Amino acid sequence: MSKKGGKQAETGRKVHVPCKRAKVEASCPSSPMNYESPDSVFESLIFPIEQEKFFKEYWEQKPLLIQRDDPSVAAYYQSLFQLMDLKELSSQGFYYGRDLNICRCVNGKKKVLNKDGKVNYMQLKRDFDQKKATIQFHQPQRFKDELWRIQEKLECYFGSLVGSNVYITPPGSQGLPPHYDDVEVFILQLEGEKHWRLYKPTVHLAREYNVESEDRIGNPTHEFILKPGDLLYFPRGTIHQADTPLGGSYSTHVTISTYQNNSWGDFLLDAIPGLVFDTAKEDVALRTSIPRQLLMQVDIADSTRRLSSFLRSLADQLENTKELRSSDMKKDFIMNRLPPFLGNSPDPLAPGGKLPKLDSKIRLRFKDHAIITVEPDQENSDERRKEMAYVYHSLKNRRERHMMGNEDDDTNEEGISETHGLRFPLSYMDALKQIWRSATVAVKELSLKSDAEKQNLVLSLWTECLIETGETVQGLHNVHAAQGPNTRSSCVQESAGIPLKSAHHLRAETRLEEENKLFCFFSFQLV
């Protein structure tokens, strides 16, 4: 292995991965991934490195290379995506730019060789073979079930969107120039070998993508060859470039990325406006006018001192705040994340178990896929809108739109993008928290004044497939124990498209259920 001015990234032991095996599609090799929980998926992904060691020593700090001389892991990685998959997938109507790019690094710059319109596989293969172009396939989890399964669990694990791209590069070629990204990166080598060089960041934990010139980055800090079954992690801001060595086969790897715009700074931008709004209701000083012509002044030193005083007061207020009005980041995540992986059943999404009654016990079915927030009533356009409790979920999100942005088919006939959720009076909030925090809860013990309100709440949640009744709770537990973590649930997603960036205004529509049930179901659409 060559070491041109660099060293190998720190590695894990070369041992067989003794992860619990889960069932996968019949055509796939045995999986080294443990799908029992989001935690176990990440643990098996970075094995043999312990999670505590990873986050203490590597996460956001330095690269990690895990080399595995394990044919079974290599075979499993290869099953995630192969060059031959593009031939079949191309028949689904891929477009250059949207679904894939073909590119090559020429004299330190990225040269895009895309054609116009739909992708023709034979033309794509000619460009790959003759022009030595790299194929960059966007978001393969839209089509490959095992990647969907992995990334959905990782989104639960990180609480952040997880995207992916596949890169297929012919021998003796390089697709991209030296650059750094604004995401945490996990590289899984699927086919062939890839020669990697990593460099010291010029911008630590970068917030944007940028290309760097060779004369600026110096010598590599790490240099190595990735082989099938190997995994590489590096933090955002890490400068890197990779090429496929001459004399061998083409290389295929998948880049799984996360934590874009998911920093403390982003959270503050989301949380501070709500904190200011709530504090201003009680603090008259925040409601006093700014000085005349302040917005026209160049020197605002006096005003910055006043602002500093307000910020210190807000910090004191924050110390005593149990909850933050930080819903935009939450909604953006829920609206744009993958739906649950529930197998390949064509059955429609269906409620779990029997219709809940006052004497039923219930539990939340998809806790990682739903959030509760308090917001002004989006249905009421009056100036003084009362606050309501909102439940947003991702059960009906469209897998094929994941990480693909806001396109025409994400909207209805009125050009309104859709999201999914329920809306309740604010008095329901304590009962919602009760359900979210409990393993199981009796309907009659919910923190609501009347039995009608309790029925209203649980019937709404049950209809939206967010809860299941006690009979199903025990039944599913027994089935999972007998059949393992790959057991399919009775619910499978059918969904509407969601844009990457959320708007903040919702329109509610209601429908009454049959037999005059005491609840309303609300589907929300962005305006």
Side-chain angles (χ1 to χ4, degrees), residues 376-377 380-387:
D377 186 357
N380 191 337
S381 59
D382 294 342
E383 186 174 343
R384 291 179 60 86
R385 292 183 294 176
K386 61 182 179 181
E387 291 186 326

Side-chain angles (χ1 to χ4, degrees), residues 2-225:
S2 61
K3 299 183 180 180
K4 298 179 182 178
K7 62 180 180 179
Q8 278 195 308
E10 299 193 25
T11 64
R13 295 179 291 119
K14 295 181 180 180
V15 295
H16 181 74
V17 183
C19 299
K20 185 172 182 179
R21 305 283 172 168
K23 294 180 182 179
V24 295
E25 299 172 15
S27 59
C28 295
S30 296
S31 171
M33 306 299 292
N34 182 345
Y35 289 105
E36 287 186 346
S37 68
D39 192 79
S40 66
V41 166
F42 186 71
E43 182 178 13
S44 55
L45 181 70
I46 64 169
F47 184 88
I49 302 298
E50 298 290 338
Q51 291 185 65
E52 182 178 357
K53 178 182 177 72
F54 175 79
F55 285 103
K56 182 178 180 180
E57 299 183 14
Y58 299 100
W59 178 254
E60 295 188 331
Q61 299 173 63
K62 62 183 180 181
L64 168 66
L65 171 63
I66 300 177
Q67 294 177 308
R68 301 183 176 108
D69 185 14
D70 188 331
S72 65
V73 176
Y76 170 73
Y77 272 28
Q78 186 177 27
S79 74
L80 296 177
F81 201 98
Q82 303 173 52
L83 174 59
M84 66 179 66
D85 290 330
L86 280 178
K87 185 174 183 179
E88 178 183 351
L89 292 174
S90 294
S91 64
Q92 301 189 27
F94 290 159
Y95 285 84
Y96 286 102
R98 185 192 71 178
D99 297 297
L100 62 81
N101 289 322
I102 52 173
C103 57
R104 186 174 182 182
C105 178
V106 178
N107 297 324
K109 295 183 178 180
K110 177 182 177 180
K111 184 176 181 180
V112 178
L113 305 172
N114 287 354
K115 303 294 188 294
D116 293 328
K118 286 187 177 182
V119 174
N120 178 281
Y121 177 75
M122 297 308 296
Q123 179 64 57
L124 181 68
K125 190 66 166 61
R126 279 196 298 270
D127 288 338
F128 180 77
D129 293 330
Q130 298 173 11
K131 297 182 180 180
K132 301 296 183 183
T134 289
I135 300 171
Q136 179 189 34
F137 184 64
H138 303 149
Q139 310 304 336
Q141 71 278 8
R142 296 177 292 151
F143 308 100
K144 300 292 285 185
D145 284 354
E146 197 69 5
L147 284 173
W148 170 19
R149 194 179 189 192
I150 292 171
Q151 289 175 233
E152 183 263 324
K153 281 291 189 289
L154 291 178
E155 286 186 332
C156 294
Y157 181 80
F158 286 112
S160 177
L161 295 175
V162 176
S164 66
N165 284 326
V166 165
Y167 296 86
I168 308 174
T169 303
S173 185
Q174 179 171 331
L176 301 174
H179 66 280
Y180 59 78
D181 298 298
D182 58 347
V183 287
E184 301 295 309
V185 172
F186 296 85
I187 307 288
L188 283 63
Q189 185 65 25
L190 311 182
E191 297 181 297
E193 297 183 356
K194 202 71 174 277
H195 170 227
W196 284 83
R197 285 170 285 173
L198 310 182
Y199 304 82
K200 184 179 179 180
T202 54
V203 180
H204 185 60
L205 299 180
R207 289 182 55 84
E208 58 187 6
Y209 168 92
N210 194 42
V211 173
E212 291 281 17
S213 62
E214 291 272 6
D215 57 1
R216 174 176 162 85
I217 60 179
N219 293 325
T221 57
H222 306 85
E223 187 168 6
F224 45 85
I225 300 287

Side-chain angles (χ1 to χ4, degrees), residues 20-21 23 36 474-488:
K20 185 172 182 179
R21 305 283 172 168
K23 294 180 182 179
E36 287 186 346
Q474 185 59 41
L476 281 181
H477 176 78
N478 292 338
V479 170
H480 279 257
Q483 299 186 15
N486 195 44
T487 303
R488 295 175 183 172

Side-chain angles (χ1 to χ4, degrees), residues 150-419:
I150 292 171
Q151 289 175 233
E152 183 263 324
K153 281 291 189 289
L154 291 178
E155 286 186 332
C156 294
Y157 181 80
F158 286 112
S160 177
L161 295 175
V162 176
S164 66
N165 284 326
V166 165
Y167 296 86
I168 308 174
T169 303
S173 185
Q174 179 171 331
L176 301 174
H179 66 280
Y180 59 78
D181 298 298
D182 58 347
V183 287
E184 301 295 309
V185 172
F186 296 85
I187 307 288
L188 283 63
Q189 185 65 25
L190 311 182
E191 297 181 297
E193 297 183 356
K194 202 71 174 277
H195 170 227
W196 284 83
R197 285 170 285 173
L198 310 182
Y199 304 82
K200 184 179 179 180
T202 54
V203 180
H204 185 60
L205 299 180
R207 289 182 55 84
E208 58 187 6
Y209 168 92
N210 194 42
V211 173
E212 291 281 17
S213 62
E214 291 272 6
D215 57 1
R216 174 176 162 85
I217 60 179
N219 293 325
T221 57
H222 306 85
E223 187 168 6
F224 45 85
I225 300 287
L226 282 187
K227 298 181 179 181
D230 292 347
L231 179 141
L232 168 66
Y233 159 80
F234 52 81
R236 55 195 186 276
T238 302
I239 302 169
H240 57 279
Q241 60 178 325
D243 61 273
T244 303
L246 272 170
S249 176
Y250 62 85
S251 165
T252 304
H253 76 263
V254 61
T255 296
I256 295 177
S257 57
T258 189
Y259 262 68
Q260 184 179 50
N261 299 329
N262 212 46
S263 66
W264 277 111
D266 296 299
F267 189 73
L268 280 171
L269 288 171
D270 189 39
I272 291 298
L275 178 64
V276 174
F277 181 84
D278 288 341
T279 305
K281 292 179 179 179
E282 308 297 331
D283 187 351
V284 68
L286 285 172
R287 303 199 300 272
T288 59
S289 301
I290 61 175
R292 288 183 304 104
Q293 300 183 346
L294 174 63
L295 304 181
M296 303 161 59
Q297 295 174 7
V298 176
D299 185 1
I300 58 170
D302 291 340
S303 296
T304 55
R305 284 191 287 272
R306 187 75 186 276
L307 282 173
S308 298
S309 174
F310 283 137
L311 288 173
R312 282 190 288 271
S313 176
L314 286 172
D316 293 338
Q317 178 75 14
L318 190 60
E319 290 283 348
N320 300 315
T321 300
K322 293 182 179 180
E323 296 181 8
L324 286 174
R325 188 194 297 270
S326 174
S327 60
D328 288 345
M329 284 182 70
K330 287 182 179 181
K331 283 193 295 185
D332 188 75
F333 172 55
I334 289 296
M335 289 165 58
N336 295 296
R337 66 161 304 181
L338 282 164
F341 178 85
L342 299 166
N344 300 315
S345 172
D347 298 333
L349 192 69
K354 297 180 179 179
L355 192 74
K357 300 178 181 178
L358 278 175
D359 58 353
S360 299
K361 287 190 176 182
I362 59 169
R363 78 163 184 179
L364 202 60
R365 294 179 69 185
F366 302 101
K367 187 174 183 178
D368 292 332
H369 285 267
I371 60 167
I372 49 178
T373 70
V374 174
E375 303 174 29
D377 186 357
Q378 302 295 346
E379 190 181 34
N380 191 337
S381 59
D382 294 342
E383 186 174 343
R384 291 179 60 86
R385 292 183 294 176
K386 61 182 179 181
E387 291 186 326
M388 304 288 288
Y390 282 82
V391 177
Y392 297 98
H393 67 80
S394 55
L395 305 188
K396 298 178 184 177
N397 288 4
R398 290 175 58 188
R399 166 212 185 173
E400 63 270 22
R401 298 303 315 146
H402 184 241
M403 303 295 287
M404 292 301 290
N406 186 8
E407 299 200 359
D408 292 341
D409 58 354
D410 288 326
T411 60
N412 65 9
E413 64 277 5
E414 297 176 341
I416 299 172
S417 300
E418 294 182 345
T419 186

